């Protein structure tokens, strides 16, 4: 599973950089492959929390200036408790948040007028996970080999399920705009699997005071609070679809680079040569590792050759395991159905299903037993999961820890209710589940909180792979004199790896 941002980097910039980003770069979530400018993550997280409330306020004709503080006051306690952000951070970023949201409000008004969105007929999701699986094995035939996972900043879905909007916030327009266009083109491509019509927009606010809405699907007339621009991205998708195959080839086949470069050329996908010392390699943080990883064997010392081939074997082991896990990221064969999801608190979702009155813990009840496991929660009433049965594209509402040792059977009229709890355990992912809780507070009776499907699954993290790659990167930098830190530990790990190499030979 490759993040949409990594694919966008490969399609727009350098396939080697996308590979190295996939392997090495660390971030709190596996979907954020490269570092953001300082403060940018906090702004993104605050926007994720504020946007649902602000969206409904704007569509109800309230002023933005009041809405933003009202939104913050209504969720401040939860965010401070669960989301690693404070009132000071909100105050610090308030002016920037207001800039983003005023451009967004202008866009929203445009959508209200032109696409019929209103507060009563939309669902709004922030930080919602979109997953696209290949339809068969890598070597088998498939219509589309696009194993990607992406988390757009905002998705608005009209409740009829026929129209959607995807929006991403950007703080850095000076570099990487093409990567942003690919990213949004990919989100749109995924959302089109469940909606006929999807519009995509980028909202830029920069330190230099630029405020701009870039439309990627239709020309926009001028908006009151922002510049507008139109970019046509339809043809971006064919190029982006090649990138995952190239990245898989580079990962599983040590001498695939030449083939990747040749295939990539046909689609306009670039790879540079860091040995030439030209731009963009001059400024690339991965330059040393790139030279070593993609060098011809004759360009490496004997020890480097040995290190490289041993690490390659370690990657293959880690990746094989991960690929298997990701194929079953959601175990659709063992799902259970509930009637309703009710948030008892920001971290506890209660799931209910009505059962006929009978013996407690009868077979009927045991059908709902998933033990203590990580689960993904879908709503079959959610337009984003219209095609969930195809298991190609899906978008969980939530994931958390299922605790069915807390099963309760509560008599209710002629029936009894079976109740199970799902707990949100990771503060790191608060930005994923807290917005849904806030949406629930705004619309507890929304249809999406009914007809619930709960499936066991795995958390999509690449810890083992990134650990191996980070160590290899550190050893290479140390050996090549780029960094002198951690001498003792790196020498020791290097010797262990070289010993492992002897064992393999
Ligand atoms: S050093 Fe050059 S070729 Fe290597 S990843 Fe960076 S930009 Fe790409």
């Amino acid at each position: 599973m490759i993040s949409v941002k990594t694919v966008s980097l490969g399609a727009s910039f350098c396939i080697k950089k996308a590979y190295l980003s996939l392997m090495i770069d660390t971030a709190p979530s596996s979907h954020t492959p490269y570092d953001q400018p300082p403060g940018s993550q906090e702004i993104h997280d605050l926007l994720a929390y504020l946007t649902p409330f602000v969206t409904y306020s704007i569509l109800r004709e309230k002023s933005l200036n009041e809405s933003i503080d009202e939104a913050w006051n209504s969720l401040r306690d939860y965010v401070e408790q669960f989301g690693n952000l404070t009132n000071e951070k909100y105050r610090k970023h308030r002016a920037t948040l207001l800039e983003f949201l005023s451009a967004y409000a202008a866009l929203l008004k445009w959508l209200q007028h032109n696409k019929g969105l209103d507060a009563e007929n939309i669902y709004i999701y922030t930080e919602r996970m979109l997953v696209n699986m290949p339809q068969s094995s890598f070597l088998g035939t498939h219509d589309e080999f696009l194993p990607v996972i992406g988390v757009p900043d905002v998705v608005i879905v009209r409740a009829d399920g026929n129209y959607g909007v995807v929006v991403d916030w950007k703080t850095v327009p000076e570099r990487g705009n093409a990567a942003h266009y690919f990213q949004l083109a990919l989100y749109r491509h995924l959302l089109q699997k469940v909606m006929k019509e999807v519009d995509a927009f980028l909202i830029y606010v920069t330190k230099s005071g630029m405020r701009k809405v870039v439309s990627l699907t239709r020309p926009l007339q001028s908006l009151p609070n922002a510049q507008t621009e139109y970019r046509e991205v339809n043809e971006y998708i064919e190029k982006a679809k090649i990138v995952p195959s190239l990245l898989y080839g580079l990962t599983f086949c040590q001498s695939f680079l030449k083939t990747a470069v040749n295939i990539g050329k046909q689609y306009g996908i670039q790879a540079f040569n860091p040995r030439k010392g030209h731009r963009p390699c001059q400024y690339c943080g991965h330059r040393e590792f790139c030279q070593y990883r993609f060098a011809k064997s004759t360009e490496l010392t004997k020890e480097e050759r040995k290190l490289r081939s041993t690490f390659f074997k370690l990657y293959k082991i880690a990746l094989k395991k991960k690929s298997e896990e990701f194929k079953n990221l959601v175990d659709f064969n063992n799902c259970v159905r509930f009637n309703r999801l009710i948030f008892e608190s920001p971290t506890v979702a209660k799931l209910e299903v009505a059962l006929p009155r009978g013996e407690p813990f009868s077979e009927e009840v045991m059908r709902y037993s998933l033990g203590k496991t990580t689960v993904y929660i879908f709503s079959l009433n959610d337009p984003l999961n219209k095609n969930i049965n195809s298991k190609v594209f899906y978008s969980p509402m939530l994931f958390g820890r299922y605790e069915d040792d807390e099963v309760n059977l509560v008599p209710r009229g002629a029936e009894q209710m079976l109740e199970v709890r799902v707990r949100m355990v990771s503060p790191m992912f608060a930005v994923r589940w807290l917005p849904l809780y806030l949406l629930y507070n705004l619309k507890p009776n929304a249809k999406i909180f009914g007809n619930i499907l709960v499936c066991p699954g795995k958390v999509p993290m690449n810890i083992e792979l990134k650990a191996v790659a980070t160590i290899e990167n550190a050893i290479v930098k140390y050996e090549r004199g780029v960094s002198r830190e951690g001498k003792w530990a790196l020498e020791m790990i290097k010797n262990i790896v070289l010993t492992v190499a002897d064992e393999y030979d």
Side-chain angles (χ1 to χ4, degrees), residues 307 311 468 471-472 474-475 486-500:
L307 265 179
F311 268 107
V468 176
I471 289 169
E472 188 185 19
I475 292 176
K487 178 177 189 311
W488 175 84
L490 291 174
E491 282 289 342
M492 190 179 76
I493 295 168
K494 187 182 85 181
N495 289 333
I496 292 172
V497 173
L498 291 173
T499 312
V500 171

Side-chain angles (χ1 to χ4, degrees), residues 13-14 16-17 20 271-274 280-281 284 286-287 290:
F13 181 57
C14 170
K16 291 181 184 173
K17 180 102 172 169
L20 297 172
F272 300 98
N273 183 351
C281 303
C284 177
H286 293 316
R287 196 174 63 218
C290 177

Side-chain angles (χ1 to χ4, degrees), residues 165-313:
V165 177
V166 58
V167 178
D168 241 53
W169 318 110
K170 297 292 176 198
T171 45
V172 188
E174 287 83 8
R175 61 183 163 92
N177 283 28
H180 301 163
Y181 306 149
F182 275 102
Q183 189 189 340
L184 269 280
L186 273 160
Y187 291 149
R188 178 175 182 242
H189 177 73
L190 301 188
L191 289 169
Q192 277 174 324
K193 290 171 188 275
V194 283
M195 280 177 275
K196 277 195 207 126
E197 196 189 356
V198 180
D199 282 326
F201 303 96
L202 286 156
I203 298 185
Y204 289 98
V205 168
T206 67
K207 284 213 170 92
S208 59
M210 191 248 269
R211 197 193 288 167
K212 182 154 105 181
V213 177
V214 179
S215 167
L216 303 169
T217 38
R218 64 180 66 244
L220 263 183
Q221 295 110 2
S222 60
L223 294 177
N225 290 314
Q227 300 171 42
T228 54
E229 187 182 314
Y230 171 50
R231 288 258 164 188
E232 168 63 60
V233 295
N234 272 336
E235 80 282 9
Y236 280 48
I237 281 301
E238 291 315 309
K239 189 172 170 187
K241 277 192 201 167
I242 300 301
V243 173
S245 311
L246 299 184
L247 292 176
Y248 268 68
L250 287 172
T251 307
F252 286 107
C253 176
Q254 202 168 3
S255 48
F256 188 72
L257 181 64
K258 211 167 162 195
T259 315
V261 170
N262 285 336
I263 298 173
K265 258 188 200 156
Q266 296 168 32
Y267 291 88
I269 294 168
Q270 302 184 90
F272 300 98
N273 183 351
R275 286 182 192 281
K276 290 189 178 161
H278 297 156
R279 295 164 84 188
C281 303
Q282 265 175 309
Y283 307 109
C284 177
H286 293 316
R287 196 174 63 218
E288 281 305 318
F289 195 60
C290 177
Q291 282 189 18
Y292 151 89
R293 173 62 186 85
F294 296 110
K296 290 182 191 142
S297 293
T298 49
E299 293 164 348
L300 296 177
T301 64
K302 196 171 163 216
E303 191 175 86
E304 281 180 331
R305 278 204 296 276
K306 208 166 172 185
L307 265 179
R308 190 171 72 169
S309 74
T310 312
F311 268 107
F312 196 77
K313 284 170 189 154

Side-chain angles (χ1 to χ4, degrees), residues 378-443:
F378 302 89
S379 164
L380 300 180
N381 293 341
D382 183 346
L384 290 191
N385 286 312
K386 203 155 57 185
N387 294 342
I388 194 166
N389 290 335
S390 74
K391 299 175 185 77
V392 175
F393 170 78
Y394 53 84
S395 175
M397 280 207 303
L398 270 181
F399 71 95
R401 193 94 187 129
Y402 186 92
E403 310 266 351
D404 77 359
D405 56 347
E406 283 188 44
V407 170
N408 285 316
L409 274 163
V410 184
R412 203 175 289 173
E415 294 178 322
Q416 52 189 350
M417 292 307 259
L418 179 90
E419 300 173 350
V420 177
R421 265 99 186 149
V422 176
R423 290 173 196 283
M424 309 307 133
V425 283
S426 167
M428 200 168 84
F429 287 113
V431 76
R432 301 276 169 80
W433 47 261
L434 212 38
L436 192 80
Y437 173 71
L438 301 169
L439 184 67
Y440 179 84
N441 277 353
L442 291 170
K443 295 200 162 209

